[in-house]
Amino acid sequence: MEQTFVMVKPDGVQRSLVGEIIRRIESKGYKLKAIKFMIISQELAREHYVEHVDKAFFKDLLSFITSGPVVAMVWEGEGVIASMRLLMGKTNPTEAEPGTIRGDLAVKVDQNIIHGSDSPEAAQREISLFFQEREIIDYNRAIDRWIS
Ligand code: DAT
Ligand code: MG
């Protein structure tokens, strides 16, 4: 079953939106596989956002993402990688549709409250950056047969 990496960014934690964000993902039907409350180191931040190393906003991005605790998660479900991107909405919250997490809850591109992997390759890479194999939990839910 497909898995993706999702993170409530420091602004989401500071704004007390952790529960709201998890509620939306849970309600959709996806299964929580791993969760960690943590402060991201400079090294991990660099590695996580390595694709943006040459962008003008890279330095600000690193200081933002390391500025306070985040909630790192692995979520599982059918088509979860692409579908999570739809639930999140566009990168720039001013362009994100109402009904999406960013569309409903965020205003600025550099404070867009949530991260989600953008491809199967990114999902695999990001999950293994943040979690060890044994931290990803296998379990059955009674509702699984109604969802997957
Ligand atoms: P996403 O987070 O939707 O995958 P991305 O990978 O293109 O978007 O960029 C990573 C993060 O970098 C994004 O969530 C917010 C920040 N960012 C992107 N474009 C930006 C810009 N033009 N100015 C400031 N921050 C930006
Ligand atoms: Mg991205």
Side-chain angles (χ1 to χ4, degrees):
M1 187 63 86
E2 197 168 289
Q3 296 180 348
T4 195
F5 176 71
V6 175
M7 172 166 63
V8 181
K9 295 182 180 179
D11 53 335
V13 172
Q14 293 300 325
R15 292 178 54 206
S16 302
L17 290 172
V18 173
E20 170 67 18
I21 290 168
I22 290 177
R23 184 192 64 73
R24 289 177 180 229
I25 305 170
E26 265 191 322
S27 303
K28 171 82 174 166
Y30 294 131
K31 185 193 267 190
L32 184 62
K33 296 287 290 182
I35 186 164
K36 197 180 281 187
F37 189 53
M38 61 185 287
I39 293 176
I40 298 181
S41 68
Q42 287 292 326
E43 298 71 48
L44 180 56
R46 271 190 161 274
E47 194 60 41
H48 175 65
Y49 280 130
V50 69
E51 66 174 306
H52 298 303
V53 68
D54 295 326
K55 307 269 169 65
F57 59 81
F58 187 67
K59 237 182 109 191
D60 290 341
L61 182 57
L62 287 203
S63 48
F64 166 64
I65 210 68
T66 59
S67 66
V70 302
V71 180
M73 295 172 280
V74 177
W75 287 90
E76 183 178 273
E78 193 150 322
V80 68
I81 299 170
S83 179
M84 188 66 65
R85 297 286 298 188
L86 294 176
L87 278 184
M88 285 162 47
K90 294 222 178 89
T91 303
N92 190 335
T94 61
E95 294 166 7
E97 300 277 345
T100 65
I101 292 168
R102 286 164 169 169
D104 288 347
L105 305 173
V107 175
K108 292 173 62 187
V109 69
D110 54 347
Q111 294 178 324
N112 60 6
I113 70 171
I114 185 169
H115 169 85
S117 311
D118 65 4
S119 68
E121 298 70 33
Q124 202 165 43
R125 194 183 75 85
E126 293 168 1
I127 288 169
S128 57
L129 261 182
F130 281 82
F131 291 97
Q132 305 200 310
E133 197 101 29
R134 61 178 163 77
E135 294 176 311
I136 300 168
I137 310 294
D138 273 326
Y139 64 104
N140 293 315
R141 294 181 305 182
I143 62 161
D144 279 343
R145 72 187 185 96
W146 302 102
I147 288 170
S148 53

